Amino acid sequence: MHAPRRVPHRHGHPLSHAALLQCTRRAACTACNNCDVSTPEKLIDHSLNCSIAGFTPSHRHSLVKAELAKILRRYNFAVAVEPSLYIHNYTDGIAHKPDITVFSPIPVATDIVVSQQDRVPGVAARAAAKKKINLHNNAVRKAGHVFFPFALEAHGYEHSSVQAFIKCVMQFRPRFEEQELMRDVRTGVSVTLARARMHSVLAMFGIGAFQRKDETERDLNQGRAAHSLDEDLEEN
């Protein structure tokens, strides 16, 4: 007998084909030169990548970042969002910043990337994870910290780097807490990506775009205000 094939974890539910049929009657993205979204497939692919419509991949990335930071803080970790700890450690002269550093006994940094799914799920996430490692790993290690990418795909695929990041963060905590954190991260990120897919499609027709942008900024600002003392950890 062949060993069962491992099914990668997916975040959220896919967009419904039937639910999008009515949307395609207004068959153009008015934000960017009337791009063709005349079928549900074209609508989904375009909406998840459009950087001009009201809800962009940048908004999606910011929401995932805010959700991950919120969950980690709920487990009593000190979390720095976009820390400036490593900016002098990069050799290209650019002050890069990973998205999050978690101050566990061994500080762990991560950088979130949500890629558009290729024809085969997981290919884009693996390539993106490798790029993040090449960009950040050496700079983070120079500070005595550890780096893991946090690679996802817009349709919900989760790269193995996500679980590796959680395991490293929780290595000095009880095993049951690691499982609980993994569950909460998957749930929170799943809901966030599902919301992002919905709002990306709605933004094609100018629906809800500004509200979603305000929610993104509100979530990030609340997280920074509630944990402003985390910045002191970077300096000390």
Side-chain angles (χ1 to χ4, degrees), residues 83-97 139 142:
S84 57
L85 284 164
Y86 318 109
I87 58 175
H88 301 296
N89 295 344
Y90 293 92
T91 58
D92 60 0
I94 301 175
H96 299 286
K97 297 179 182 179
K142 286 179 182 178

Side-chain angles (χ1 to χ4, degrees), residues 66-231:
E67 180 66 19
L68 179 59
K70 180 178 70 175
I71 294 169
L72 290 166
R73 285 164 174 156
R74 202 159 63 214
Y75 280 78
N76 295 319
F77 285 110
V79 176
V81 176
E82 297 184 3
S84 57
L85 284 164
Y86 318 109
I87 58 175
H88 301 296
N89 295 344
Y90 293 92
T91 58
D92 60 0
I94 301 175
H96 299 286
K97 297 179 182 179
D99 286 320
I100 287 172
T101 293
V102 184
F103 292 96
S104 56
I106 299 177
V108 187
T110 190
D111 204 42
I112 299 164
V113 56
V114 184
S115 304
Q116 174 64 358
Q117 181 175 297
D118 204 342
R119 299 178 70 90
V120 178
V123 172
R126 284 194 296 272
K130 185 176 181 180
K131 288 182 180 179
K132 291 295 184 182
I133 291 171
N134 291 339
L135 176 62
H136 294 295
N137 190 54
N138 288 338
V140 171
R141 285 173 63 88
K142 286 179 182 178
H145 298 179
V146 181
F147 176 78
F148 289 94
F150 196 97
L152 307 165
E153 291 182 356
H155 288 279
Y157 181 94
E158 174 196 291
H159 184 254
S160 59
S161 60
V162 173
Q163 190 167 0
F165 166 70
I166 296 299
K167 280 183 173 294
C168 189
V169 167
M170 298 296 287
Q171 62 182 306
F172 297 102
R173 297 282 188 94
R175 171 69 175 173
F176 73 89
E177 284 195 14
E178 177 190 321
Q179 296 171 341
E180 290 178 354
L181 178 59
M182 192 72 246
R183 177 202 63 202
D184 289 348
V185 167
R186 282 176 168 166
T187 300
V189 172
S190 173
V191 172
T192 301
L193 285 179
R195 285 177 56 206
R197 289 193 292 271
M198 177 185 69
H199 295 311
S200 295
V201 173
L202 293 177
M204 293 293 97
F205 311 103
I207 303 172
F210 296 103
Q211 181 182 0
R212 300 284 75 76
K213 181 178 180 181
D214 290 343
E215 287 183 2
T216 300
E217 294 174 350
R218 181 202 64 197
D219 289 345
L220 290 174
N221 289 334
Q222 284 180 348
R224 287 168 181 156
H227 300 276
S228 59
L229 291 178
D230 292 341
E231 295 180 358

Side-chain angles (χ1 to χ4, degrees), residues 23-73:
C23 292
T24 57
R25 292 176 182 173
R26 297 175 61 182
C29 173
T30 56
C32 49
N33 297 322
N34 294 322
C35 294
D36 179 20
V37 291
S38 57
T39 67
E41 292 81 5
K42 292 179 179 179
L43 175 65
I44 294 170
D45 287 342
H46 181 74
S47 67
L48 295 178
N49 286 284
C50 185
S51 59
I52 302 177
F55 193 94
T56 67
S58 178
H59 292 126
R60 176 180 63 205
H61 177 273
S62 295
L63 286 177
V64 173
K65 176 170 59 179
E67 180 66 19
L68 179 59
K70 180 178 70 175
I71 294 169
L72 290 166
R73 285 164 174 156

